[in-house]
Amino acid sequence: MIGIKSYGAYIPVYRLSESELARAWGGRGGRGEIAVANYDEDSITMAVEAAIDCLNGTDRDIADSLYFASTTPPYSEKMSASIVAAATDLRDDLFTLDIGNSLRCGTSAIKAAHDSIKSGSAKNILVTAADCRLAPPASEFESIFGDGAAAFLIGDSDVAVAIEDSHSISSDFLDVWKRAEDPYIRTWEDRFILQYGYSEKLGTAVSALLKKTGLSAKDFAKVVYYAPNARSHQRMIRQLKVEPEQVQAPMFDSIGNTGAAFAPMILVAALEEAKPGDRILWANYGDGADAFILQVTDQIEKVRDRRGIKHHLESKMEIPNYEKYIRFRNLMQGEADRRPQYISSLPMIWRDRKQVTPLHGGRCHNCGNIQFPIQRVCAYCQAKDDYEEVRLADKKATVFTFSMDERAVEVDPPRVWTINDLDGGGRIYCTMTDRDTEQIEIGMGVEMTFRKIHEGAGLHNYFWKCRPIRVS
Amino acid sequence: MESIKDKVAIIGMGCTKFGELWDKDAYDLVIDSAYEAYEDAGIDPKDIQAAWVGTVLGSTATQLSAPLKTDYIPVTRVENVCATGMESLRAAAYALIAKAYDLVLAVGFEKLKDTGYGGLPMAVQSAGSEKWHPVFGSGDSAPGRYALAATRYFHQFGLSREEGKRTLAKISVKSHHNGSLNPRAHLRMEITEEQVINAPMIAWPLGLFDACGVTDGAAAAILCRTEDAKKFKDEYITIKSFGLSTGPGMGKVRTDYDYTHWEETQRAAQQAYADAGIKDPRKEIDMCEIHDCFSIAELICYEDLGFCEKGKAKDHIEAGDFALDGKYPFNVGGGLKSFGHPVGASGIREVYEGYVEILGRAQLPERQLKNVNLALSHNQGGNPGRFICSICIVGAP
């Protein structure tokens, strides 16, 4: 039986409220809010978070493939999956794949993973889906688009959720698109695109799957599906002839439409509440549609300790004002900076790749002390070249001291510098993100998070920061 | 190992006005400081046999030979971060002791104000250098790194934010008072504790008045062996000792670094006190010009140079012990805080301050200390947990 062995999700800590959008642009504004990535996050960093959540307590070597599904890969040429895999500290003998260009790519990746395992070419595939879509300012999309990620470990043993069947249809229907030269998505009048796009295609895929399996709407404990917005999601309840109680809430007013990650994230929310034996109908739309029949097994109880959707939703901070969001997204040209710009060096990043990306430190074989960055000559006992690499990304830490640099070349000043003593040994000097500067104190607990540090040399320079522990 | 005590004499010194010298370039600064020193020593520039030039952000040794038109003599550029100026003096002194030369010049300078922004210019970054890494510590700053020590010091010794800020403020107020009396200082205004506490934040908890000036300037010294000094002039000082400690820089790596002491300062002081035969610095040293790039740097130096017990600096600051008329005058010239900090110049400038006080040449009577026999100069480059500390003790022959 092939299915989901484990799941994980990530929701950025920041929320942008509809009332704040209304303050900025006028209009009434609802009571909802969307989850928005911090300025140092993108689809890669969010996928890493979801992947690590998904693999909580699991040997990282289990995955033999990693798929990354997104319409917003940070590079248009340069694979994202390989970066996600390295930061997650997976094996080197790994098959990696980026799947993109369609809002449906999250479920397409699941389908591809399922089929790859079925063919016998892979045993365990980590599928990540993440999106960070930029809505046009002052558009309706701005209060609808959210940012987030989900991850599933797909395998053929001990599955928590069996993938029983699926059906896909393809369509060249144009409803939402973005050319390379477009800063934002483009679309058409929604009365037209919803009728012939979303409504027709999702409905067709679900009908075909039900017909093929002989199941009907009442056979499902939960019905989980994508919709471009809350109104369309509501209408689909009637179209699918399901009861509202069966429908998994789409979280438009708490996260927003997270694009390629949206249907996967709603499924994670459903699995958090699912009971063994539950049958789930899962459908996604974009350039056609994918529909799946899923069945929850007893194994679901073994993967409950995920941050997933529920815990990440509870851990949040409001973006205090829209102007800050403008800075996060670099939507306004500011004063030209007279200070030197950030630079980078590929050979330096390459030499230190195990320290930069999966955050490995060194543990001295002679004295046992952990050190970061790795020291060839031990900082404690001077033993030379006698250490093993240890992953520090999983460690929690305690802030030993900190400072807050108001004059740093920084999107969200002050830049908070911290000296952190890691649980189990070792010290790391890094910046703190996702923080309320009023709440920072010596002795507070922090955890490590993979972030974009700067854009020096025209590349995304990723490294780890610390953040206040989000879920204790 | 032999002591250097009294073997080398400083027979002439020069120091430019420090400040935002928009109308002076690096060559002007080198010329002005060197010619003042030539004149003070009463020597012909042609008699200089070798020279050392200290600059952190400048370029090569030709930044001395080109402006001064030296006659193909050996000139070396030295760089030891903020300990650069002292290092050029140290190199010159040891060359004399080796009897490689008889009369030498040491110059330190920095031209910082041509960049277009406030704050310390960032060093020219080049791949493979130790000064930067694409991501480790990327974009950190001197105030951000020193502030790590201030935060920890407050915590370790039980100072509330308010007490900590006020304690540091008293240091800056004192240094500005001293600098206000010094005609060559950069920031010559008196300031109040309230001004310091309410100043814009630079890197919490350090505000604008916890930070030294960004300054252009240069200082120069002419040195010879002490036995030759009388041939040139009667008034001179001698070098009692040097200390130089370069730490392994593992404060951000080792969990046992406490961020409340400067190990390299302690080690350099041990070397300098031993070489000069100083048993109790509190009783023997008459003035200290120390590296106060930030107020917290000076506070921790009081403790690590042995002028007060660990964690007790606040009591001594409140008692006025480090004021011009206190028991242990610190930063008599105004310090980096008020006199300014052209990085490569500061070490020689600090020795210059001792030179004028020992020789009774402080320009105004208010700032002339009485009976100065020993003056300590101290510079530390780098940042808490990773310092290069240089100390020079000079005195009456």
Side-chain angles (χ1 to χ4, degrees), chain B residues 63-309:
Chain B
Q63 283 193 294
L64 186 144
S65 64
L68 298 183
K69 311 297 182 296
T70 52
D71 187 24
Y72 294 88
I73 61 170
V75 181
T76 307
R77 179 239 175 138
V78 296
E79 196 275 330
N80 229 357
V81 226
C82 293
T84 291
M86 209 91 84
E87 192 58 18
S88 62
L89 203 62
R90 183 169 164 274
Y94 281 97
L96 288 169
I97 291 175
K99 300 196 175 174
Y101 313 103
D102 301 322
L103 188 67
V104 300
L105 168 69
V107 177
F109 78 90
E110 216 70 62
K111 178 67 197 173
L112 299 178
K113 292 304 300 179
D114 281 350
T115 59
Y117 52 89
L120 195 63
M122 286 164 229
V124 176
Q125 297 170 320
S126 64
S129 83
E130 282 185 2
K131 285 181 181 164
W132 72 286
H133 185 281
V135 293
F136 301 162
S138 172
D140 68 359
S141 66
R145 293 179 299 204
Y146 268 95
L148 293 168
T151 308
R152 188 69 201 181
Y153 188 96
F154 294 175
H155 174 86
Q156 182 75 32
F157 297 107
L159 276 61
S160 67
R161 289 180 174 206
E162 293 70 27
E163 285 173 318
K165 283 286 288 177
R166 188 164 293 279
T167 300
L168 294 179
K170 289 176 194 292
I171 296 173
S172 297
V173 168
K174 177 269 301 169
S175 295
H176 268 266
H177 171 71
N178 295 354
S180 73
L181 301 173
N182 194 334
R184 294 190 182 186
H186 177 190
L187 302 165
R188 295 192 62 200
M189 72 288 196
E190 297 266 10
I191 55 170
T192 66
E193 285 176 29
E194 298 314 313
Q195 270 180 292
V196 181
I197 290 165
N198 298 321
M201 199 54 74
I202 299 293
W204 194 92
L206 304 176
L208 184 63
F209 285 115
D210 288 297
C212 68
V214 176
T215 305
D216 301 323
I222 312 279
L223 301 88
C224 66
R225 280 182 297 283
T226 305
E227 69 246 31
D228 298 333
K230 291 275 187 211
K231 284 195 263 180
F232 297 101
K233 59 188 292 198
D234 293 332
E235 278 192 336
Y236 59 89
I237 63 171
T238 59
I239 290 170
K240 305 297 176 182
S241 65
F242 284 106
L244 176 64
S245 171
T246 304
M250 291 292 110
K252 294 181 179 67
V253 174
R254 284 181 63 140
T255 52
D256 54 1
Y257 178 56
D258 60 10
Y259 272 88
T260 57
H261 84 286
W262 309 145
E263 183 72 25
E264 295 84 352
T265 287
Q266 291 186 1
R267 301 293 188 99
Q270 284 167 16
Q271 294 171 17
Y273 293 162
D275 214 26
I278 291 168
K279 300 281 184 291
D280 183 351
R282 281 186 272 206
K283 290 190 179 132
E284 297 170 67
I285 292 173
D286 302 301
M287 59 175 279
C288 293
E289 292 295 302
I290 62 102
H291 197 82
D292 59 327
C293 50
F294 300 97
S295 50
I296 184 66
E298 177 161 338
L299 181 146
I300 291 178
C301 261
Y302 297 149
E303 300 178 352
D304 287 341
L305 289 175
F307 285 83
C308 72
E309 314 73 47

Side-chain angles (χ1 to χ4, degrees), chain A residues 65-80:
Chain A
S65 307
L66 182 134
Y67 298 175
F68 170 81
S70 177
T71 67
T72 51
Y75 291 105
S76 60
E77 181 172 337
K78 162 65 196 155
M79 185 187 261
S80 295

Side-chain angles (χ1 to χ4, degrees), chain A residues 317-365:
Chain A
M317 289 199 296
E318 286 293 323
I319 284 199
N321 52 62
Y322 185 77
E323 290 80 352
K324 192 170 191 113
Y325 176 75
I326 287 177
R327 293 194 64 174
F328 277 17
R329 293 292 173 272
N330 197 21
L331 291 174
M332 194 184 282
Q333 192 170 354
E335 182 188 9
D337 206 320
R338 296 186 296 276
R339 295 177 291 183
Q341 297 302 298
Y342 284 104
I343 59 175
S344 192
S345 163
L346 291 180
M348 290 176 80
I349 292 174
W350 173 76
R351 283 195 298 271
D352 296 339
R353 60 197 175 278
K354 286 292 187 186
Q355 300 175 74
V356 170
T357 316
L359 196 65
H360 283 192
R363 182 196 282 122
C364 177
H365 282 142

